[in-house]
Each structure stands twice: as structure tokens, then as C-alpha cells.
Amino acid sequence: MQEIWLRIEAWLRTNAPEHVDILAAGASDVQISELEDLLSIQLPEDVKSSYRIHNGQTSYNYGLINGCEFLSLERIEDEWQIWKGLLDSGTFQDEDGQDQGCEPDLGICNVWWSSKWIPLTYDGCGNHDCLDLAPAEGGNIGQIISMWHDDPERKILAPSFRDWLQNYAKGLELRISN
């Protein structure tokens, strides 16, 4: 994780120096454990390692990850609680009490939203890249999926958090060479 973040930071310093300071300092193990307890989850080690380096971004003046806010642990909790409240209120059920379902890639559960989908990014409109901790058969625990608030399509973006962040770093570096 350290090497991936060094690559991202180097790109920012060279190409967007005004945005380097939006990266928050790392989270403590206590902060990570508190989020895990509150959400009743266990984060994969690659996620914990990343958040120990940078606890998301400090403000949303500039969306770090593909134009989206890279959520701090506190912002993860905020966004997750919004979705959990909607889930608990039955918002995602039809008139028969059945889950509306979605149009998922193979390996993603066919539900509109799961409490085991942990928001990592936020685009300001209710859409997220989520850490999937309860994949369907064929998926990977810890895969990263897209979750649109008003669109049933659910896509696997990466098989793991590490791959997702590494792909982001690689995408930044390709911008330099093009």
C-alpha cells in the first residue's frame, strides 16, 4: 500500500500540487476498529493498511478518485448510515415486500443495496464505489463494485481494494505519458 500511495502522491505533486494537501493523515487502529464495530464488519487488511496511510481526503473541493470524494472513515460511516436507514425502512422492497434487486455482474448479490457494501467514494449525487464484503457466488470478498443510487446496474470494478487503488495509480501515470 505504501508504494501505491507514493505513486499517487508523486503524480499529485507533479500534476496537481494544489490537491496534495487534501489527503488526510492516516487513521489509527482504534478508529478503524470503531468503524468495524459500528458497521459489524471486518475490513480486509489491504483496506486497513491504506487507511493507516491516508484516512480519505479532508475536503470535497476536488474529488481525488476519478472525480469522486475518497471517503474518510467518518464519511464512510455517514454514507453507510444513510443507506442502512433506507434499507431498514423498506425503501428497496416492492409492494410485496421483496427486494427490488438489481442488474449485477456475476459475483455481486442481486439486491439493491447490502449493509455489507461499504462506500469508499462519493460523487455528490448518491453514487459510490463500494467494498463488497458479501459477494455472490463467483465473487471475491473485498471486491470493489459500482453502486448507483438510481440505476440497477452493479459492476465489479476490481477484485480487491489493492487492485482498485493500484489501477487508479496506474491510470494517473498513464496521463503523464499520453
Side-chain angles (χ1 to χ4, degrees):
M1 279 295 147
Q2 186 69 39
E3 183 252 319
I4 296 169
W5 275 112
L6 288 173
R7 291 169 53 199
I8 293 169
E9 292 166 13
W11 188 91
L12 287 172
R13 275 192 298 282
T14 301
N15 299 284
E18 67 277 14
H19 301 305
V20 172
D21 61 349
I22 67 167
L23 289 169
S28 69
D29 287 333
V30 169
Q31 290 171 304
I32 292 168
S33 292
E34 286 173 351
L35 180 74
E36 290 176 320
D37 291 346
L38 182 73
L39 276 52
S40 299
I41 60 163
Q42 183 66 41
L43 293 169
E45 192 52 46
D46 58 354
V47 176
K48 292 181 191 182
S49 178
S50 178
Y51 274 87
R52 286 180 191 118
I53 297 167
H54 288 296
N55 184 8
Q57 62 184 84
T58 58
S59 68
Y60 189 45
N61 297 336
Y62 168 80
L64 181 68
I65 307 288
N66 301 317
C68 296
E69 176 185 4
F70 176 47
L71 298 176
S72 65
L73 297 178
E74 180 180 350
R75 289 283 297 122
I76 287 172
E77 178 184 335
D78 293 344
E79 292 299 321
W80 183 89
Q81 286 182 334
I82 290 168
W83 286 101
K84 181 73 163 103
L86 292 169
L87 180 69
D88 290 348
S89 72
T91 299
F92 309 127
Q93 296 177 345
D94 63 21
E95 58 276 350
D96 297 324
Q98 300 297 308
D99 192 291
Q100 292 176 21
C102 62
E103 297 169 8
D105 279 352
L106 181 67
I108 301 175
C109 288
N110 186 13
V111 296
W112 194 263
W113 185 79
S114 166
S115 63
K116 299 301 182 187
W117 292 354
I118 312 306
L120 298 172
T121 65
Y122 178 63
D123 71 352
C125 297
N127 305 309
H128 305 278
D129 291 351
C130 293
L131 177 70
D132 182 358
L133 298 178
E137 186 175 335
N140 299 310
I141 293 174
Q143 66 193 6
I144 307 302
I145 63 171
S146 62
M147 207 300 291
W148 295 86
H149 78 284
D150 62 351
D151 187 327
E153 188 174 76
R154 304 288 183 262
K155 296 283 183 193
I156 295 176
L157 304 175
S160 70
F161 181 88
R162 176 180 297 281
D163 289 330
W164 177 73
L165 197 60
Q166 192 162 306
N167 289 341
Y168 175 66
K170 186 177 183 178
L172 290 175
E173 293 163 347
L174 289 174
R175 291 180 193 174
I176 292 172
S177 63
N178 291 336

